[in-house]
Amino acid sequence: MAAHPRLTPPGGALAAVWLAAVLMLPGRVSAQDPPPPDSIPSDSAQAVADSLAADTTEATVAIREPTFPARMAHLRGPSHEVFVCDRQCLHSSSALTLLELLIERVPGITGLRAEYFGGPHHAMDGMFGAGFGGLYIDGQPISPMESGQADLRRLTLNYLEEVRVLRGADGLVIDASTSAHDGGEAYSRINGATGDPQLEGIEGVFANGFGDITVVETSFSLLNLARDDNPSDRFSALARVSVMPWSNRLGFQMEYRGGTLKREGTDNADLTFGSTTLRVRGNVGDHFQAEGFARRASRSAEIDQVIIEEDTITAESWASEAIGISAVAQKWGGTLTGAYSLGSGLAQPRQQGSVGAWYRWGPLAAELGVEFRQLGDSLALDYPAPPLAPDPDPGEPDSGLGDPGDDQLTATAPFYGRLSGSHGAISSSVRRAGLSFSDTLLWFPVSARVFHADGVQAVPFAAMARADTLPFASSGASLEIGLGPYILGGRVNRQSVDRQLGFGAVFDTAAFFWPGENEIKGWEARFTGPLIPLNLMMPGVNPIVLRGSWRRNTIVSGQPLYVPENHGHIELLFNDTFFSGNLEIWLGGAMELRGTRIHPVVVAGELEEGGEVVEVGDLVQMNTDSWSMAWFTFKIASFRFFWRVSNPSVADIFDFRQVFFPPQINVFGLRWEFHN
């Protein structure tokens, strides 16, 4: 395999380096001191109901507003469970990818990962995978540029202020917010990491104010993996200029995000992607906010599917454009949100929109929402015959292929989409509703939710110029109770889809489609609270906290992909300060317990030596090994030193058959955060 250059950014990074040097110049002197960088409570990544989440942030000084108006409302209402990893949580975490963070912090989800940070990375809530799981950055939806779900490895943790995961009836909503600076002082943060599996990485964040109304920000992230079997190189950069003429009333923002990714393994991929966004956001009084944006995204890729012999896929460069508006109104305990956008090209829907509303009556709240999406003519519903599909009857002509009246192929290989014969616009609509209750009953804070969603999801596979529609229905309920320092929670839900779609990623080769209804029902239990009271032995020391969850999925019908029968997570955490606050320590260990689940076969052969012979597209029950990890972080002044290890005694482990993922991880590094 060809060797990749190590720690060498592309030529386009020279501008980012120059801009970083400018931003490190001293900023203007602020009349007030900036807030302490770690004033947000530690480790708030828990599912805590509104009535259980105490706001312990104290505003010690009045500071200038960030140089762009903050969002007035979150993406979803109170009938959704909320899991938050805030600034302190992100900076103390040793996770190198967004999916690693989600697996550790959000109970019950299934992470699908390959090629370590090179991806693709996807997440499932129960059975909802491709077509579900919306990724948002600063409130803007990120369209899938390759497979049936936005690849989570497109977003680095380097420049994030908060990751908020909302879980309702229609899958996960991942709402990532980037850092916002007031420009009062120059701000910088440098991260570096090295270790096994032959990993080297460096990241930087720089921000500075110019004048009284402008802030310029930039960041970069460079990660290299030099393993012989699957080397990967990733570079990403961000540059942003924010202008706010009237404090927290009107703001203008120009932003560029771009990067490259090279990987070798199950496929040899050379990807380049970028987007430029112009955003305007303004507040009218204290109860109304409006926003408009225009965005152009581009992608170029050359992918060699080496796991499939003599099958090289080369995708030419393409670009997509989108413009849109959104608004939020809040009054008398109610919130109303709306958004509409127009787009062109493969990655952007021709049009999409949403309306949501929620209202509180004391401890009760109700929520309603609708969404619609229309994909363009360039995405076809009818798929070509799979190149490796065996002919079930070589002596007879193909029955059904290309016949618009047939809903499925008769081949035994995987199905490649609906054969509707239509090349017109593909539309979808989703409806959701929910009720919530949050109050204190008998001295115990209680939060309960019931939720339902149904409709048709439009699922694009932009890299293959294909699409599909997926009817679904889901309903469930959740409950959380606070018992002093302990939080007990649970969830039950039922999900159904009329057939099974793959992601179109390397672990299922293409946009596989298996006919027949799939339905599961599941229950989940979780616990958070102190376990070992260290203060009994060492007065004044915080206790060791246990955070655990267990999810049981029962298949009612069909063969749902990737859904583990049992999925557990057990984690021990310790966080405290010593020496008058000059030393802070985070110490943790976790075990991810993952049971058997159904996988598609991507390479024909024997499952095990002397075992069953399988063909491409067969569905097989496979055991996914448990995953252990530990981490240690300590902070002295503005320096954070971290260490992360996974599976220290495991010789071989893969999340997917024949998809490379390192069996062991042992990484350490440094984060340095400073002003001026």
Short mmCIF file of all heavy atoms in Angstrom, two decimals, residues 506-558:
data_model
loop_
_atom_site.label_atom_id
_atom_site.label_comp_id
_atom_site.label_asym_id
_atom_site.label_seq_id
_atom_site.Cartn_x
_atom_site.Cartn_y
_atom_site.Cartn_z
N VAL A 506 -18.90 0.97 3.86
CA VAL A 506 -18.02 -0.15 3.56
C VAL A 506 -18.44 -1.42 4.27
O VAL A 506 -18.12 -2.52 3.83
CB VAL A 506 -16.56 0.19 3.91
CG1 VAL A 506 -16.05 1.29 3.02
CG2 VAL A 506 -16.41 0.56 5.37
N PHE A 507 -19.16 -1.29 5.40
CA PHE A 507 -19.55 -2.50 6.11
C PHE A 507 -20.82 -3.12 5.56
O PHE A 507 -21.22 -4.19 5.99
CB PHE A 507 -19.68 -2.25 7.62
CG PHE A 507 -20.40 -1.00 7.99
CD1 PHE A 507 -21.77 -0.91 7.89
CD2 PHE A 507 -19.70 0.09 8.45
CE1 PHE A 507 -22.43 0.25 8.25
CE2 PHE A 507 -20.35 1.25 8.82
CZ PHE A 507 -21.72 1.33 8.72
N ASP A 508 -21.54 -2.46 4.63
CA ASP A 508 -22.58 -3.16 3.89
C ASP A 508 -22.48 -2.89 2.39
O ASP A 508 -23.42 -3.11 1.64
CB ASP A 508 -23.98 -2.82 4.42
CG ASP A 508 -24.25 -1.33 4.54
OD1 ASP A 508 -23.54 -0.56 3.89
OD2 ASP A 508 -25.16 -0.96 5.27
N THR A 509 -21.31 -2.40 1.95
CA THR A 509 -20.87 -2.35 0.56
C THR A 509 -21.67 -1.39 -0.31
O THR A 509 -21.10 -0.60 -1.03
CB THR A 509 -20.91 -3.76 -0.08
OG1 THR A 509 -20.18 -4.65 0.73
CG2 THR A 509 -20.31 -3.71 -1.47
N ALA A 510 -22.97 -1.44 -0.27
CA ALA A 510 -23.80 -0.57 -1.10
C ALA A 510 -25.12 -0.37 -0.39
O ALA A 510 -25.33 -0.83 0.72
CB ALA A 510 -24.00 -1.17 -2.49
N ALA A 511 -26.04 0.31 -1.05
CA ALA A 511 -27.34 0.61 -0.43
C ALA A 511 -28.23 -0.62 -0.47
O ALA A 511 -29.17 -0.71 -1.24
CB ALA A 511 -27.99 1.78 -1.13
N PHE A 512 -27.92 -1.58 0.37
CA PHE A 512 -28.68 -2.82 0.38
C PHE A 512 -30.13 -2.57 0.80
O PHE A 512 -30.42 -1.72 1.62
CB PHE A 512 -28.05 -3.82 1.35
CG PHE A 512 -26.76 -4.40 0.86
CD1 PHE A 512 -25.91 -5.02 1.75
CD2 PHE A 512 -26.40 -4.34 -0.47
CE1 PHE A 512 -24.72 -5.57 1.33
CE2 PHE A 512 -25.21 -4.89 -0.90
CZ PHE A 512 -24.37 -5.50 -0.01
N PHE A 513 -30.98 -3.41 0.28
CA PHE A 513 -32.41 -3.31 0.61
C PHE A 513 -32.94 -4.73 0.77
O PHE A 513 -32.88 -5.53 -0.16
CB PHE A 513 -33.14 -2.54 -0.51
CG PHE A 513 -34.61 -2.84 -0.62
CD1 PHE A 513 -35.43 -2.90 0.48
CD2 PHE A 513 -35.18 -3.05 -1.87
CE1 PHE A 513 -36.78 -3.18 0.37
CE2 PHE A 513 -36.53 -3.34 -2.00
CZ PHE A 513 -37.34 -3.41 -0.88
N TRP A 514 -33.44 -5.04 1.97
CA TRP A 514 -34.03 -6.34 2.24
C TRP A 514 -35.53 -6.15 2.45
O TRP A 514 -35.94 -5.33 3.29
CB TRP A 514 -33.41 -6.97 3.48
CG TRP A 514 -32.01 -7.42 3.27
CD1 TRP A 514 -31.58 -8.67 2.91
CD2 TRP A 514 -30.84 -6.63 3.41
NE1 TRP A 514 -30.22 -8.71 2.83
CE2 TRP A 514 -29.73 -7.46 3.12
CE3 TRP A 514 -30.59 -5.30 3.73
CZ2 TRP A 514 -28.42 -7.02 3.16
CZ3 TRP A 514 -29.29 -4.84 3.77
CH2 TRP A 514 -28.22 -5.69 3.49
N PRO A 515 -36.38 -6.88 1.71
CA PRO A 515 -37.83 -6.67 1.82
C PRO A 515 -38.38 -7.27 3.10
O PRO A 515 -37.73 -8.04 3.79
CB PRO A 515 -38.36 -7.40 0.59
CG PRO A 515 -37.37 -8.50 0.36
CD PRO A 515 -36.03 -7.95 0.75
N GLY A 516 -39.63 -6.89 3.39
CA GLY A 516 -40.31 -7.45 4.55
C GLY A 516 -40.28 -6.52 5.74
O GLY A 516 -39.28 -5.85 6.01
N GLU A 517 -41.38 -6.48 6.48
CA GLU A 517 -41.47 -5.59 7.63
C GLU A 517 -40.53 -6.05 8.74
O GLU A 517 -40.37 -7.24 9.00
CB GLU A 517 -42.91 -5.56 8.15
CG GLU A 517 -43.10 -4.63 9.34
CD GLU A 517 -44.53 -4.62 9.84
OE1 GLU A 517 -45.35 -5.39 9.30
OE2 GLU A 517 -44.82 -3.85 10.76
N ASN A 518 -39.91 -5.07 9.38
CA ASN A 518 -39.07 -5.32 10.54
C ASN A 518 -39.66 -4.57 11.73
O ASN A 518 -40.00 -3.39 11.61
CB ASN A 518 -37.64 -4.84 10.30
CG ASN A 518 -36.88 -5.74 9.34
OD1 ASN A 518 -36.12 -6.60 9.74
ND2 ASN A 518 -37.09 -5.54 8.04
N GLU A 519 -39.75 -5.24 12.86
CA GLU A 519 -40.30 -4.60 14.05
C GLU A 519 -39.56 -5.11 15.28
O GLU A 519 -39.27 -6.31 15.40
CB GLU A 519 -41.79 -4.90 14.18
CG GLU A 519 -42.46 -4.21 15.36
CD GLU A 519 -43.95 -4.42 15.39
OE1 GLU A 519 -44.50 -5.01 14.43
OE2 GLU A 519 -44.59 -4.01 16.39
N ILE A 520 -39.25 -4.19 16.18
CA ILE A 520 -38.63 -4.57 17.45
C ILE A 520 -39.33 -3.83 18.58
O ILE A 520 -39.96 -2.79 18.38
CB ILE A 520 -37.12 -4.23 17.50
CG1 ILE A 520 -36.90 -2.71 17.49
CG2 ILE A 520 -36.36 -4.90 16.39
CD1 ILE A 520 -35.49 -2.30 17.82
N LYS A 521 -39.23 -4.39 19.76
CA LYS A 521 -39.63 -3.70 20.98
C LYS A 521 -38.47 -3.80 21.95
O LYS A 521 -37.75 -4.81 21.99
CB LYS A 521 -40.91 -4.29 21.56
CG LYS A 521 -40.84 -5.77 21.91
CD LYS A 521 -42.18 -6.26 22.44
CE LYS A 521 -42.13 -7.75 22.79
NZ LYS A 521 -43.43 -8.24 23.30
N GLY A 522 -38.28 -2.74 22.71
CA GLY A 522 -37.14 -2.72 23.60
C GLY A 522 -37.44 -2.02 24.90
O GLY A 522 -38.37 -1.23 25.00
N TRP A 523 -36.64 -2.35 25.90
CA TRP A 523 -36.72 -1.65 27.17
C TRP A 523 -35.30 -1.32 27.62
O TRP A 523 -34.33 -1.98 27.26
CB TRP A 523 -37.46 -2.46 28.22
CG TRP A 523 -36.82 -3.77 28.59
CD1 TRP A 523 -37.06 -4.98 28.05
CD2 TRP A 523 -35.81 -3.96 29.59
NE1 TRP A 523 -36.28 -5.94 28.64
CE2 TRP A 523 -35.51 -5.33 29.61
CE3 TRP A 523 -35.15 -3.11 30.48
CZ2 TRP A 523 -34.55 -5.88 30.47
CZ3 TRP A 523 -34.21 -3.65 31.34
CH2 TRP A 523 -33.92 -5.03 31.33
N GLU A 524 -35.22 -0.25 28.39
CA GLU A 524 -33.91 0.27 28.79
C GLU A 524 -33.99 0.73 30.24
O GLU A 524 -34.98 1.32 30.67
CB GLU A 524 -33.54 1.44 27.88
CG GLU A 524 -32.24 2.15 28.21
CD GLU A 524 -32.02 3.32 27.28
OE1 GLU A 524 -32.00 3.11 26.06
OE2 GLU A 524 -31.90 4.46 27.77
N ALA A 525 -32.95 0.46 31.00
CA ALA A 525 -32.83 0.93 32.38
C ALA A 525 -31.47 1.61 32.54
O ALA A 525 -30.48 1.17 31.95
CB ALA A 525 -32.97 -0.23 33.36
N ARG A 526 -31.43 2.67 33.33
CA ARG A 526 -30.18 3.38 33.55
C ARG A 526 -30.12 3.93 34.98
O ARG A 526 -31.14 4.16 35.62
CB ARG A 526 -29.97 4.49 32.52
CG ARG A 526 -31.12 5.46 32.38
CD ARG A 526 -30.82 6.48 31.29
NE ARG A 526 -31.88 7.46 31.14
CZ ARG A 526 -32.83 7.39 30.22
NH1 ARG A 526 -32.86 6.38 29.36
NH2 ARG A 526 -33.76 8.33 30.15
N PHE A 527 -28.88 4.15 35.43
CA PHE A 527 -28.64 4.56 36.81
C PHE A 527 -27.44 5.48 36.83
O PHE A 527 -26.43 5.24 36.16
CB PHE A 527 -28.38 3.32 37.68
CG PHE A 527 -27.88 3.63 39.06
CD1 PHE A 527 -28.78 3.83 40.09
CD2 PHE A 527 -26.53 3.73 39.33
CE1 PHE A 527 -28.33 4.11 41.37
CE2 PHE A 527 -26.06 4.02 40.59
CZ PHE A 527 -26.98 4.21 41.63
N THR A 528 -27.52 6.55 37.62
CA THR A 528 -26.39 7.45 37.84
C THR A 528 -26.39 7.86 39.30
O THR A 528 -27.42 8.26 39.84
CB THR A 528 -26.49 8.70 36.95
OG1 THR A 528 -26.51 8.32 35.58
CG2 THR A 528 -25.30 9.62 37.19
N GLY A 529 -25.24 7.76 39.94
CA GLY A 529 -25.15 8.20 41.33
C GLY A 529 -23.87 7.74 41.99
O GLY A 529 -23.13 6.90 41.45
N PRO A 530 -23.57 8.29 43.17
CA PRO A 530 -22.34 7.91 43.88
C PRO A 530 -22.39 6.45 44.33
O PRO A 530 -23.42 5.96 44.79
CB PRO A 530 -22.31 8.87 45.08
CG PRO A 530 -23.74 9.30 45.26
CD PRO A 530 -24.34 9.30 43.90
N LEU A 531 -21.25 5.77 44.19
CA LEU A 531 -21.17 4.36 44.54
C LEU A 531 -20.22 4.11 45.70
O LEU A 531 -20.54 3.37 46.63
CB LEU A 531 -20.72 3.54 43.32
CG LEU A 531 -20.55 2.04 43.54
CD1 LEU A 531 -21.90 1.40 43.82
CD2 LEU A 531 -19.89 1.39 42.33
N ILE A 532 -19.05 4.74 45.65
CA ILE A 532 -18.04 4.52 46.68
C ILE A 532 -17.79 5.84 47.41
O ILE A 532 -17.23 6.77 46.83
CB ILE A 532 -16.73 3.99 46.06
CG1 ILE A 532 -17.01 2.69 45.27
CG2 ILE A 532 -15.68 3.75 47.14
CD1 ILE A 532 -15.79 2.15 44.56
N PRO A 533 -18.22 5.97 48.66
CA PRO A 533 -18.05 7.24 49.40
C PRO A 533 -16.62 7.40 49.92
O PRO A 533 -16.32 7.06 51.07
CB PRO A 533 -19.07 7.11 50.53
CG PRO A 533 -19.18 5.64 50.76
CD PRO A 533 -18.95 4.97 49.43
N LEU A 534 -15.75 7.95 49.10
CA LEU A 534 -14.36 8.10 49.50
C LEU A 534 -14.20 9.07 50.67
O LEU A 534 -13.19 9.03 51.38
CB LEU A 534 -13.53 8.60 48.31
CG LEU A 534 -13.44 7.65 47.11
CD1 LEU A 534 -12.59 8.29 46.01
CD2 LEU A 534 -12.83 6.32 47.52
N ASN A 535 -15.21 9.95 50.87
CA ASN A 535 -15.08 10.92 51.96
C ASN A 535 -15.10 10.26 53.33
O ASN A 535 -14.71 10.87 54.33
CB ASN A 535 -16.19 11.97 51.86
CG ASN A 535 -17.57 11.34 51.94
OD1 ASN A 535 -17.77 10.20 51.56
ND2 ASN A 535 -18.53 12.10 52.45
N LEU A 536 -15.55 9.00 53.42
CA LEU A 536 -15.50 8.29 54.70
C LEU A 536 -14.06 7.99 55.10
O LEU A 536 -13.74 7.91 56.29
CB LEU A 536 -16.32 7.00 54.62
CG LEU A 536 -17.82 7.16 54.37
CD1 LEU A 536 -18.49 5.80 54.33
CD2 LEU A 536 -18.45 8.05 55.44
N MET A 537 -13.21 7.78 54.09
CA MET A 537 -11.81 7.50 54.37
C MET A 537 -10.95 8.74 54.23
O MET A 537 -9.96 8.91 54.94
CB MET A 537 -11.32 6.41 53.40
CG MET A 537 -12.05 5.08 53.54
SD MET A 537 -11.54 3.88 52.28
CE MET A 537 -12.30 4.62 50.81
N MET A 538 -11.33 9.62 53.29
CA MET A 538 -10.58 10.85 53.04
C MET A 538 -11.56 12.01 53.06
O MET A 538 -12.22 12.27 52.04
CB MET A 538 -9.85 10.76 51.69
CG MET A 538 -8.80 9.66 51.63
SD MET A 538 -8.07 9.51 49.99
CE MET A 538 -9.43 8.70 49.10
N PRO A 539 -11.72 12.69 54.18
CA PRO A 539 -12.72 13.76 54.29
C PRO A 539 -12.52 14.83 53.21
O PRO A 539 -11.40 15.23 52.89
CB PRO A 539 -12.45 14.33 55.69
CG PRO A 539 -11.83 13.21 56.44
CD PRO A 539 -11.00 12.47 55.44
N GLY A 540 -13.65 15.24 52.64
CA GLY A 540 -13.63 16.29 51.64
C GLY A 540 -13.42 15.81 50.22
O GLY A 540 -13.45 16.62 49.28
N VAL A 541 -13.21 14.51 50.01
CA VAL A 541 -12.97 13.96 48.67
C VAL A 541 -14.30 13.50 48.08
O VAL A 541 -15.12 12.86 48.76
CB VAL A 541 -11.96 12.80 48.73
CG1 VAL A 541 -11.78 12.18 47.34
CG2 VAL A 541 -10.63 13.29 49.27
N ASN A 542 -14.52 13.81 46.82
CA ASN A 542 -15.76 13.42 46.14
C ASN A 542 -15.87 11.90 46.01
O ASN A 542 -14.85 11.20 45.92
CB ASN A 542 -15.83 14.06 44.76
CG ASN A 542 -16.06 15.54 44.81
OD1 ASN A 542 -16.54 16.07 45.81
ND2 ASN A 542 -15.71 16.24 43.74
N PRO A 543 -17.09 11.37 45.94
CA PRO A 543 -17.26 9.92 45.79
C PRO A 543 -17.01 9.48 44.35
O PRO A 543 -16.99 10.28 43.42
CB PRO A 543 -18.73 9.72 46.18
CG PRO A 543 -19.39 11.00 45.82
CD PRO A 543 -18.38 12.08 46.11
N ILE A 544 -16.82 8.18 44.19
CA ILE A 544 -16.76 7.57 42.86
C ILE A 544 -18.19 7.34 42.38
O ILE A 544 -19.02 6.78 43.10
CB ILE A 544 -15.98 6.26 42.89
CG1 ILE A 544 -14.51 6.53 43.26
CG2 ILE A 544 -16.06 5.54 41.55
CD1 ILE A 544 -13.67 5.27 43.38
N VAL A 545 -18.48 7.80 41.18
CA VAL A 545 -19.84 7.78 40.64
C VAL A 545 -19.98 6.61 39.66
O VAL A 545 -19.08 6.35 38.85
CB VAL A 545 -20.17 9.11 39.93
CG1 VAL A 545 -21.53 9.04 39.24
CG2 VAL A 545 -20.15 10.25 40.95
N LEU A 546 -21.09 5.92 39.75
CA LEU A 546 -21.43 4.85 38.82
C LEU A 546 -22.46 5.37 37.82
O LEU A 546 -23.47 5.96 38.21
CB LEU A 546 -22.00 3.64 39.55
CG LEU A 546 -22.60 2.54 38.68
CD1 LEU A 546 -21.53 1.87 37.83
CD2 LEU A 546 -23.34 1.51 39.52
N ARG A 547 -22.19 5.15 36.55
CA ARG A 547 -23.16 5.44 35.50
C ARG A 547 -23.33 4.17 34.66
O ARG A 547 -22.36 3.69 34.07
CB ARG A 547 -22.70 6.61 34.63
CG ARG A 547 -23.73 7.02 33.58
CD ARG A 547 -23.39 8.35 32.95
NE ARG A 547 -22.08 8.33 32.32
CZ ARG A 547 -21.30 9.41 32.22
NH1 ARG A 547 -21.68 10.53 32.76
NH2 ARG A 547 -20.13 9.33 31.61
N GLY A 548 -24.54 3.65 34.63
CA GLY A 548 -24.76 2.40 33.92
C GLY A 548 -26.08 2.40 33.18
O GLY A 548 -27.02 3.13 33.52
N SER A 549 -26.16 1.58 32.15
CA SER A 549 -27.39 1.42 31.38
C SER A 549 -27.43 0.02 30.80
O SER A 549 -26.39 -0.61 30.58
CB SER A 549 -27.49 2.46 30.26
OG SER A 549 -26.47 2.27 29.29
N TRP A 550 -28.65 -0.46 30.58
CA TRP A 550 -28.85 -1.78 29.97
C TRP A 550 -30.05 -1.69 29.04
O TRP A 550 -31.09 -1.17 29.41
CB TRP A 550 -29.09 -2.84 31.05
CG TRP A 550 -29.27 -4.21 30.47
CD1 TRP A 550 -30.43 -4.85 30.16
CD2 TRP A 550 -28.22 -5.11 30.09
NE1 TRP A 550 -30.19 -6.09 29.63
CE2 TRP A 550 -28.83 -6.28 29.57
CE3 TRP A 550 -26.83 -5.03 30.15
CZ2 TRP A 550 -28.09 -7.36 29.13
CZ3 TRP A 550 -26.10 -6.11 29.70
CH2 TRP A 550 -26.73 -7.27 29.20
N ARG A 551 -29.87 -2.16 27.82
CA ARG A 551 -30.95 -2.15 26.83
C ARG A 551 -31.17 -3.56 26.30
O ARG A 551 -30.21 -4.25 25.95
CB ARG A 551 -30.63 -1.19 25.68
CG ARG A 551 -31.77 -1.08 24.66
CD ARG A 551 -31.40 -0.14 23.52
NE ARG A 551 -32.47 -0.06 22.53
CZ ARG A 551 -33.41 0.86 22.51
NH1 ARG A 551 -33.44 1.79 23.44
NH2 ARG A 551 -34.33 0.87 21.56
N ARG A 552 -32.42 -3.96 26.25
CA ARG A 552 -32.81 -5.27 25.73
C ARG A 552 -33.70 -5.05 24.52
O ARG A 552 -34.72 -4.35 24.59
CB ARG A 552 -33.57 -6.06 26.79
CG ARG A 552 -34.25 -7.31 26.30
CD ARG A 552 -33.27 -8.44 26.05
NE ARG A 552 -33.96 -9.68 25.67
CZ ARG A 552 -33.35 -10.82 25.45
NH1 ARG A 552 -32.03 -10.90 25.57
NH2 ARG A 552 -34.03 -11.90 25.13
N ASN A 553 -33.31 -5.60 23.37
CA ASN A 553 -34.09 -5.50 22.14
C ASN A 553 -34.66 -6.86 21.78
O ASN A 553 -33.92 -7.86 21.72
CB ASN A 553 -33.21 -5.00 20.98
CG ASN A 553 -32.69 -3.60 21.21
OD1 ASN A 553 -33.46 -2.66 21.40
ND2 ASN A 553 -31.37 -3.45 21.22
N THR A 554 -35.95 -6.91 21.56
CA THR A 554 -36.64 -8.14 21.18
C THR A 554 -37.18 -8.00 19.77
O THR A 554 -37.93 -7.06 19.48
CB THR A 554 -37.79 -8.46 22.14
OG1 THR A 554 -37.29 -8.57 23.47
CG2 THR A 554 -38.48 -9.76 21.75
N ILE A 555 -36.79 -8.90 18.88
CA ILE A 555 -37.25 -8.86 17.49
C ILE A 555 -38.65 -9.44 17.41
O ILE A 555 -38.88 -10.60 17.76
CB ILE A 555 -36.29 -9.63 16.57
CG1 ILE A 555 -34.89 -8.99 16.59
CG2 ILE A 555 -36.83 -9.66 15.14
CD1 ILE A 555 -33.86 -9.74 15.78
N VAL A 556 -39.60 -8.62 16.96
CA VAL A 556 -40.97 -9.07 16.77
C VAL A 556 -41.15 -9.71 15.42
O VAL A 556 -41.80 -10.75 15.27
CB VAL A 556 -41.95 -7.89 16.96
CG1 VAL A 556 -43.39 -8.34 16.74
CG2 VAL A 556 -41.80 -7.29 18.35
N SER A 557 -40.55 -9.09 14.38
CA SER A 557 -40.64 -9.65 13.03
C SER A 557 -39.45 -9.16 12.22
O SER A 557 -38.85 -8.12 12.51
CB SER A 557 -41.95 -9.22 12.35
OG SER A 557 -42.01 -7.82 12.19
N GLY A 558 -39.10 -9.91 11.17
CA GLY A 558 -38.03 -9.53 10.28
C GLY A 558 -36.65 -9.84 10.84
O GLY A 558 -36.50 -10.57 11.83
#
